[in-house]
Amino acid sequence: MLKLEKRHGPNFYARGTHFKITIEQSLGTSDRGQAEKLLAKLQSEIFERHFRGSVSAPEGFAGAAVRYMESGGERRFIAPLLHHFGDMPIDRIDQRAIDRAAAAIRPDGAPATRNRQVYVPVSAILKFAGVTRPVRRLKAPPGIVRWLTPDEAARLIAACSPHLRPLVMFLLYTGARAGEALWLNWSCVDLARAHVSFLKTKNGRPRGVPLHRDLVAELANLPHRDGEVFRRPDGRPYERLGGGDDVSAGRKIWTAFQGAVKRAGLEDFRVHDCRHTWATWHYTAHNDLIALQNLGGWRTVTMVSRYAHANTENYLDGINALPSLGEKSGKPGNVKQEVS
Protein backbone atom coordinates (compact mmCIF):
# COMPACT_ATOMS: atom_id res chain seq x y z
CA MET A 1 0.00 0.00 0.00
CA LEU A 2 1.24 3.45 -0.87
CA LYS A 3 1.19 6.22 1.70
CA LEU A 4 1.93 9.93 1.81
CA GLU A 5 5.08 11.11 3.55
CA LYS A 6 6.99 14.33 3.98
CA ARG A 7 10.76 14.08 4.00
CA HIS A 8 13.22 16.98 4.05
CA GLY A 9 11.34 19.43 1.84
CA PRO A 10 7.79 20.78 1.71
CA ASN A 11 6.46 18.36 -0.93
CA PHE A 12 4.68 15.09 -0.25
CA TYR A 13 6.18 11.77 -1.34
CA ALA A 14 4.41 8.57 -2.38
CA ARG A 15 6.14 5.71 -0.67
CA GLY A 16 5.48 1.99 -0.28
CA THR A 17 4.56 -1.06 -2.36
CA HIS A 18 1.45 -1.39 -4.51
CA PHE A 19 0.77 -4.70 -6.27
CA LYS A 20 4.43 -5.70 -5.76
CA ILE A 21 5.63 -2.45 -7.33
CA THR A 22 7.87 -0.44 -4.99
CA ILE A 23 7.42 3.31 -5.24
CA GLU A 24 9.30 6.22 -3.68
CA GLN A 25 8.78 9.45 -5.56
CA SER A 26 7.91 13.09 -5.03
CA LEU A 27 4.39 14.15 -5.91
CA GLY A 28 5.56 17.71 -6.52
CA THR A 29 3.07 19.41 -4.21
CA SER A 30 2.88 20.50 -0.58
CA ASP A 31 -0.94 20.55 -0.58
CA ARG A 32 -2.30 17.42 1.12
CA GLY A 33 -5.55 17.38 -0.86
CA GLN A 34 -3.75 17.59 -4.17
CA ALA A 35 -1.22 15.00 -3.01
CA GLU A 36 -4.00 12.56 -2.12
CA LYS A 37 -5.49 12.93 -5.60
CA LEU A 38 -2.11 12.33 -7.22
CA LEU A 39 -1.52 9.32 -4.98
CA ALA A 40 -4.84 7.81 -6.01
CA LYS A 41 -4.05 8.44 -9.67
CA LEU A 42 -0.65 6.81 -9.28
CA GLN A 43 -2.16 3.72 -7.67
CA SER A 44 -4.73 3.52 -10.46
CA GLU A 45 -2.03 3.75 -13.14
CA ILE A 46 -0.05 0.95 -11.49
CA PHE A 47 -3.14 -1.24 -11.43
CA GLU A 48 -3.92 -0.51 -15.08
CA ARG A 49 -0.37 -1.07 -16.27
CA HIS A 50 0.31 -4.31 -14.46
CA PHE A 51 -3.07 -6.06 -14.19
CA ARG A 52 -5.24 -4.95 -17.09
CA GLY A 53 -2.62 -5.07 -19.79
CA SER A 54 -2.40 -1.37 -20.47
CA VAL A 55 -0.39 -0.81 -23.64
CA SER A 56 0.56 2.75 -22.83
CA ALA A 57 4.27 3.38 -23.44
CA PRO A 58 6.52 3.75 -20.38
CA GLU A 59 7.69 7.24 -19.52
CA GLY A 60 10.76 8.55 -21.33
CA PHE A 61 13.87 9.83 -19.61
CA ALA A 62 13.34 13.40 -20.82
CA GLY A 63 9.84 13.59 -19.37
CA ALA A 64 10.98 12.12 -16.06
CA ALA A 65 13.92 14.53 -15.90
CA VAL A 66 11.68 17.55 -16.54
CA ARG A 67 9.24 16.46 -13.82
CA TYR A 68 12.17 15.88 -11.48
CA MET A 69 13.51 19.39 -12.03
CA GLU A 70 10.06 20.99 -11.79
CA SER A 71 9.58 19.34 -8.39
CA GLY A 72 12.78 20.98 -7.11
CA GLY A 73 15.38 18.41 -8.14
CA GLU A 74 18.98 19.50 -8.74
CA ARG A 75 19.36 20.90 -12.27
CA ARG A 76 23.15 20.77 -12.60
CA PHE A 77 24.50 18.11 -14.96
CA ILE A 78 21.03 17.35 -16.41
CA ALA A 79 21.55 18.93 -19.86
CA PRO A 80 24.18 16.41 -21.08
CA LEU A 81 22.03 13.56 -19.76
CA LEU A 82 19.01 14.82 -21.71
CA HIS A 83 21.13 15.04 -24.84
CA HIS A 84 22.41 11.48 -24.35
CA PHE A 85 19.25 9.63 -23.27
CA GLY A 86 16.57 11.73 -24.96
CA ASP A 87 13.20 9.97 -24.72
CA MET A 88 14.64 6.52 -24.02
CA PRO A 89 12.08 4.65 -21.88
CA ILE A 90 13.22 4.75 -18.29
CA ASP A 91 12.64 1.02 -17.87
CA ARG A 92 15.43 0.44 -20.42
CA ILE A 93 17.99 2.54 -18.56
CA ASP A 94 19.85 -0.16 -16.70
CA GLN A 95 23.38 -0.34 -15.28
CA ARG A 96 24.94 -1.00 -18.68
CA ALA A 97 23.15 1.99 -20.24
CA ILE A 98 24.31 4.27 -17.42
CA ASP A 99 27.89 2.98 -17.73
CA ARG A 100 27.84 3.77 -21.45
CA ALA A 101 26.45 7.24 -20.75
CA ALA A 102 29.21 7.98 -18.24
CA ALA A 103 31.88 6.93 -20.74
CA ALA A 104 30.31 9.02 -23.51
CA ILE A 105 29.58 12.18 -21.49
CA ARG A 106 32.78 12.28 -19.42
CA PRO A 107 35.30 10.17 -21.38
CA ASP A 108 38.29 11.52 -19.42
CA GLY A 109 36.48 11.98 -16.13
CA ALA A 110 37.75 10.46 -12.91
CA PRO A 111 35.42 8.03 -11.11
CA ALA A 112 34.35 10.75 -8.67
CA THR A 113 33.53 13.08 -11.58
CA ARG A 114 31.50 10.44 -13.41
CA ASN A 115 29.64 9.57 -10.22
CA ARG A 116 28.78 13.22 -9.52
CA GLN A 117 27.78 14.16 -13.07
CA VAL A 118 26.16 10.95 -14.36
CA TYR A 119 25.46 8.19 -11.86
CA VAL A 120 24.03 10.36 -9.06
CA PRO A 121 21.62 12.48 -11.18
CA VAL A 122 20.47 9.51 -13.29
CA SER A 123 19.81 7.51 -10.13
CA ALA A 124 17.85 10.42 -8.64
CA ILE A 125 15.69 10.79 -11.77
CA LEU A 126 14.97 7.06 -11.99
CA LYS A 127 14.07 6.93 -8.32
CA PHE A 128 11.81 9.96 -8.72
CA ALA A 129 10.03 8.20 -11.61
CA GLY A 130 9.45 5.09 -9.52
CA VAL A 131 12.25 2.90 -10.91
CA THR A 132 13.76 1.20 -7.89
CA ARG A 133 16.58 -0.84 -9.40
CA PRO A 134 19.89 -0.06 -7.70
CA VAL A 135 22.50 1.96 -9.59
CA ARG A 136 26.07 0.88 -8.88
CA ARG A 137 28.50 3.79 -8.81
CA LEU A 138 32.17 3.68 -9.70
CA LYS A 139 34.71 3.07 -6.98
CA ALA A 140 37.39 5.72 -6.82
CA PRO A 141 41.00 4.59 -6.39
CA PRO A 142 42.74 5.64 -3.17
CA GLY A 143 43.22 9.39 -3.36
CA ILE A 144 46.65 10.97 -3.49
CA VAL A 145 46.77 14.20 -1.53
CA ARG A 146 48.55 16.85 -3.59
CA TRP A 147 49.71 19.78 -1.47
CA LEU A 148 52.31 22.53 -1.55
CA THR A 149 55.10 23.37 0.81
CA PRO A 150 55.09 26.97 2.10
CA ASP A 151 57.90 27.84 -0.32
CA GLU A 152 55.95 26.41 -3.27
CA ALA A 153 52.82 28.26 -2.16
CA ALA A 154 54.76 31.52 -1.98
CA ARG A 155 55.98 30.96 -5.55
CA LEU A 156 52.43 30.31 -6.70
CA ILE A 157 51.10 33.50 -5.10
CA ALA A 158 53.96 35.53 -6.60
CA ALA A 159 53.12 34.11 -10.04
CA CYS A 160 49.42 35.04 -9.85
CA SER A 161 47.97 37.94 -11.80
CA PRO A 162 46.70 40.83 -9.61
CA HIS A 163 43.03 39.78 -9.72
CA LEU A 164 43.88 36.14 -8.93
CA ARG A 165 46.37 36.71 -6.10
CA PRO A 166 43.85 37.51 -3.30
CA LEU A 167 41.63 34.62 -4.35
CA VAL A 168 44.46 32.07 -4.30
CA MET A 169 45.65 33.38 -0.94
CA PHE A 170 42.09 33.01 0.34
CA LEU A 171 41.90 29.39 -0.87
CA LEU A 172 45.25 28.51 0.71
CA TYR A 173 44.52 30.21 4.04
CA THR A 174 40.87 29.12 4.55
CA GLY A 175 40.50 25.77 2.79
CA ALA A 176 37.41 27.10 1.03
CA ARG A 177 36.01 25.20 -1.90
CA ALA A 178 36.21 27.11 -5.18
CA GLY A 179 32.48 27.86 -5.25
CA GLU A 180 32.47 29.02 -1.64
CA ALA A 181 35.18 31.54 -2.48
CA LEU A 182 34.16 32.73 -5.95
CA TRP A 183 30.71 33.93 -4.86
CA LEU A 184 31.57 34.95 -1.31
CA ASN A 185 29.81 38.19 -0.36
CA TRP A 186 31.45 40.93 1.66
CA SER A 187 28.59 40.66 4.16
CA CYS A 188 30.11 37.34 5.23
CA VAL A 189 33.58 38.80 5.85
CA ASP A 190 34.55 40.58 9.07
CA LEU A 191 38.06 41.98 8.70
CA ALA A 192 38.02 43.57 12.15
CA ARG A 193 37.32 40.19 13.72
CA ALA A 194 39.46 38.33 11.16
CA HIS A 195 36.64 35.93 10.37
CA VAL A 196 34.71 34.61 7.36
CA SER A 197 31.36 32.82 7.36
CA PHE A 198 30.40 30.30 4.67
CA LEU A 199 26.61 30.22 4.67
CA LYS A 200 26.10 28.00 1.62
CA THR A 201 28.32 24.93 1.65
CA LYS A 202 28.51 21.60 -0.12
CA ASN A 203 27.14 19.65 2.82
CA GLY A 204 24.53 22.28 3.69
CA ARG A 205 26.08 23.16 7.05
CA PRO A 206 27.24 26.77 7.53
CA ARG A 207 30.69 27.21 9.06
CA GLY A 208 33.11 29.93 10.02
CA VAL A 209 36.89 30.13 9.60
CA PRO A 210 39.38 32.58 11.17
CA LEU A 211 41.41 34.66 8.72
CA HIS A 212 45.20 34.65 8.77
CA ARG A 213 46.72 38.10 9.37
CA ASP A 214 48.38 38.09 5.92
CA LEU A 215 45.03 37.35 4.32
CA VAL A 216 43.33 40.12 6.27
CA ALA A 217 45.91 42.57 4.92
CA GLU A 218 45.41 41.28 1.36
CA LEU A 219 41.63 41.59 1.53
CA ALA A 220 41.85 45.04 3.12
CA ASN A 221 43.64 46.29 -0.01
CA LEU A 222 40.81 45.30 -2.35
CA PRO A 223 39.17 48.40 -3.87
CA HIS A 224 35.53 47.49 -3.09
CA ARG A 225 33.51 46.54 -0.02
CA ASP A 226 30.17 45.39 -1.39
CA GLY A 227 28.88 42.44 -3.41
CA GLU A 228 31.19 39.58 -4.30
CA VAL A 229 34.64 39.77 -2.72
CA PHE A 230 36.57 38.32 -5.66
CA ARG A 231 36.29 39.73 -9.17
CA ARG A 232 37.40 39.07 -12.72
CA PRO A 233 40.10 41.22 -14.36
CA ASP A 234 37.36 43.56 -15.63
CA GLY A 235 36.10 44.10 -12.08
CA ARG A 236 32.87 42.17 -12.58
CA PRO A 237 31.81 39.18 -10.43
CA TYR A 238 32.36 35.68 -11.76
CA GLU A 239 29.33 34.23 -13.53
CA ARG A 240 27.34 31.63 -11.67
CA LEU A 241 27.49 28.01 -12.71
CA GLY A 242 25.37 27.09 -15.70
CA GLY A 243 24.76 23.96 -17.74
CA GLY A 244 26.64 22.06 -20.42
CA ASP A 245 30.38 21.86 -19.83
CA ASP A 246 30.18 24.41 -17.01
CA VAL A 247 30.24 21.80 -14.25
CA SER A 248 32.76 23.05 -11.73
CA ALA A 249 33.41 26.37 -10.02
CA GLY A 250 37.13 25.80 -10.46
CA ARG A 251 36.67 25.97 -14.24
CA LYS A 252 35.91 29.69 -13.91
CA ILE A 253 39.54 30.41 -13.04
CA TRP A 254 41.17 27.37 -14.62
CA THR A 255 43.12 29.15 -17.37
CA ALA A 256 44.50 31.92 -15.14
CA PHE A 257 45.26 29.47 -12.32
CA GLN A 258 47.11 27.01 -14.54
CA GLY A 259 49.12 29.89 -16.01
CA ALA A 260 50.26 30.81 -12.49
CA VAL A 261 51.05 27.16 -11.72
CA LYS A 262 53.25 26.96 -14.81
CA ARG A 263 55.03 30.24 -14.07
CA ALA A 264 55.69 29.06 -10.51
CA GLY A 265 57.41 25.94 -11.84
CA LEU A 266 54.82 23.58 -10.34
CA GLU A 267 53.23 20.52 -11.88
CA ASP A 268 49.96 18.65 -11.48
CA PHE A 269 48.33 21.17 -9.14
CA ARG A 270 44.59 21.91 -9.38
CA VAL A 271 42.45 24.63 -7.83
CA HIS A 272 40.98 22.13 -5.36
CA ASP A 273 44.49 21.19 -4.24
CA CYS A 274 44.62 24.54 -2.44
CA ARG A 275 42.08 23.04 -0.05
CA HIS A 276 44.30 19.95 0.36
CA THR A 277 47.24 22.25 1.07
CA TRP A 278 45.37 24.17 3.77
CA ALA A 279 44.21 20.94 5.42
CA THR A 280 47.72 19.48 5.37
CA TRP A 281 49.21 22.63 6.90
CA HIS A 282 46.50 22.77 9.54
CA TYR A 283 47.02 19.18 10.64
CA THR A 284 50.79 19.65 10.66
CA ALA A 285 50.44 22.63 12.99
CA HIS A 286 47.75 21.28 15.31
CA ASN A 287 47.41 17.48 14.94
CA ASP A 288 43.68 17.94 15.54
CA LEU A 289 41.39 16.09 13.12
CA ILE A 290 38.19 17.25 14.87
CA ALA A 291 39.12 20.92 14.53
CA LEU A 292 40.12 20.31 10.90
CA GLN A 293 36.80 18.57 10.21
CA ASN A 294 34.81 21.45 11.69
CA LEU A 295 36.76 24.23 9.99
CA GLY A 296 36.83 22.48 6.61
CA GLY A 297 33.21 21.36 6.62
CA TRP A 298 33.75 17.62 6.12
CA ARG A 299 30.96 15.32 7.28
CA THR A 300 33.12 12.73 9.04
CA VAL A 301 36.55 12.42 10.62
CA THR A 302 37.27 9.58 8.20
CA MET A 303 37.17 12.06 5.32
CA VAL A 304 39.98 14.13 6.84
CA SER A 305 42.13 11.27 8.13
CA ARG A 306 44.05 11.21 4.84
CA TYR A 307 45.73 14.47 5.86
CA ALA A 308 47.26 12.71 8.85
CA HIS A 309 48.68 10.04 6.55
CA ALA A 310 50.14 12.75 4.32
CA ASN A 311 52.26 14.10 7.18
CA THR A 312 53.91 11.03 8.67
CA GLU A 313 57.34 12.69 8.48
CA ASN A 314 56.18 15.07 11.22
CA TYR A 315 56.20 12.16 13.67
CA LEU A 316 59.95 11.56 13.28
CA ASP A 317 60.89 13.40 16.49
CA GLY A 318 58.31 11.39 18.41
CA ILE A 319 59.65 8.12 17.04
CA ASN A 320 63.22 9.08 17.94
CA ALA A 321 62.04 9.93 21.48
CA LEU A 322 61.06 6.30 22.10
CA PRO A 323 63.37 4.24 24.38
CA SER A 324 66.55 3.02 22.69
CA LEU A 325 66.40 -0.75 22.42
CA GLY A 326 70.07 -0.77 21.48
CA GLU A 327 71.02 0.55 24.92
CA LYS A 328 68.79 -2.00 26.69
CA SER A 329 70.30 -4.89 24.74
CA GLY A 330 73.89 -3.83 25.40
CA LYS A 331 74.41 -2.70 21.82
CA PRO A 332 74.94 0.90 20.77
CA GLY A 333 71.69 2.61 19.93
CA ASN A 334 73.28 5.33 17.82
CA VAL A 335 75.20 4.53 14.71
CA LYS A 336 78.04 6.93 14.05
CA GLN A 337 78.68 7.82 10.45
CA GLU A 338 82.25 8.17 9.25
CA VAL A 339 83.11 11.56 7.89
CA SER A 340 85.09 11.37 4.66
Side-chain angles (χ1 to χ4, degrees):
M1 189 68 180
L2 298 184
K3 59 182 180 179
L4 292 178
E5 284 188 0
K6 273 196 174 183
R7 301 177 68 184
H8 305 297
N11 292 338
F12 282 97
Y13 274 70
R15 188 176 185 182
T17 302
H18 191 53
F19 292 113
K20 298 183 179 181
I21 305 299
T22 301
I23 296 294
E24 183 177 358
Q25 71 179 66
S26 172
L27 295 173
T29 179
S30 59
D31 181 82
R32 176 173 285 276
Q34 181 67 18
E36 289 175 346
K37 293 179 181 179
L38 293 173
L39 182 66
K41 180 181 178 182
L42 179 61
Q43 292 179 136
S44 176
E45 290 174 350
I46 292 174
F47 180 83
E48 289 289 338
R49 186 164 65 247
H50 293 279
F51 287 89
R52 292 189 178 178
S54 172
V55 296
S56 59
E59 184 176 20
F61 180 84
V66 170
R67 289 198 303 111
Y68 168 75
M69 290 187 288
E70 289 177 344
S71 69
E74 175 61 56
R75 294 173 176 267
R76 287 184 65 194
F77 314 128
I78 300 298
L81 299 176
L82 288 172
H83 180 75
H84 179 85
F85 287 113
D87 288 321
M88 178 184 291
I90 57 174
D91 60 356
R92 287 175 48 196
I93 301 178
D94 55 12
Q95 185 69 46
R96 181 175 296 182
I98 300 173
D99 290 340
R100 288 198 295 265
I105 295 172
R106 299 297 293 175
D108 300 322
T113 301
R114 291 187 178 187
N115 284 337
R116 184 173 67 256
Q117 299 178 17
V118 179
Y119 289 89
V120 170
V122 171
S123 177
I125 291 169
L126 294 183
K127 187 176 182 179
F128 173 84
V131 178
T132 58
R133 71 168 64 94
V135 175
R136 186 177 64 255
R137 302 181 191 180
L138 299 178
K139 292 185 178 180
I144 298 176
V145 177
R146 175 72 169 97
W147 56 282
L148 298 180
T149 66
D151 287 343
E152 290 173 327
R155 296 205 323 257
L156 175 61
I157 292 171
C160 287
S161 53
H163 81 283
L164 189 64
R165 174 188 166 95
L167 174 58
V168 172
M169 286 185 65
F170 186 85
L171 295 173
L172 289 169
Y173 274 132
T174 66
R177 298 178 178 91
E180 294 171 344
L182 283 182
W183 299 292
L184 177 70
N185 194 284
W186 269 110
S187 62
C188 297
V189 179
D190 188 338
L191 294 181
R193 195 161 63 96
H195 186 271
V196 61
S197 298
F198 298 112
L199 304 181
K200 295 182 178 180
T201 65
K202 183 178 180 180
N203 65 14
R205 300 174 183 173
R207 72 181 192 278
V209 179
L211 298 177
H212 189 278
R213 58 184 178 276
D214 290 353
L215 181 56
V216 171
E218 187 73 20
L219 296 180
N221 285 324
L222 292 176
H224 59 283
R225 285 292 185 277
D226 61 343
E228 285 81 355
V229 175
F230 303 106
R231 305 295 178 92
R232 304 184 315 187
D234 61 4
R236 301 180 62 183
Y238 289 93
E239 295 178 358
R240 300 280 174 168
L241 290 175
D245 293 333
D246 190 10
V247 295
S248 170
R251 301 296 297 180
K252 297 293 185 182
I253 60 171
W254 178 258
T255 300
F257 185 82
Q258 287 304 309
V261 168
K262 184 176 181 180
R263 289 191 296 272
L266 304 174
E267 294 181 358
D268 190 28
F269 191 75
R270 308 164 303 159
V271 174
H272 194 69
D273 291 328
C274 291
R275 179 168 165 85
H276 295 323
T277 298
W278 169 82
T280 302
W281 289 355
H282 188 281
Y283 186 78
T284 299
H286 305 290
N287 292 338
D288 189 338
L289 287 178
I290 300 300
L292 179 57
Q293 177 193 352
N294 292 333
L295 288 172
W298 286 279
R299 286 187 177 274
T300 66
V301 173
T302 302
M303 298 176 71
V304 296
S305 61
R306 55 179 168 171
Y307 299 109
H309 298 307
N311 289 277
T312 54
E313 66 273 13
N314 295 309
Y315 301 128
L316 180 59
D317 290 342
I319 294 298
N320 286 332
L322 296 175
S324 174
L325 298 180
E327 293 176 357
K328 299 293 184 182
S329 63
K331 295 182 179 180
N334 297 319
V335 178
K336 294 183 178 180
Q337 295 182 347
E338 293 185 359
V339 179
S340 57

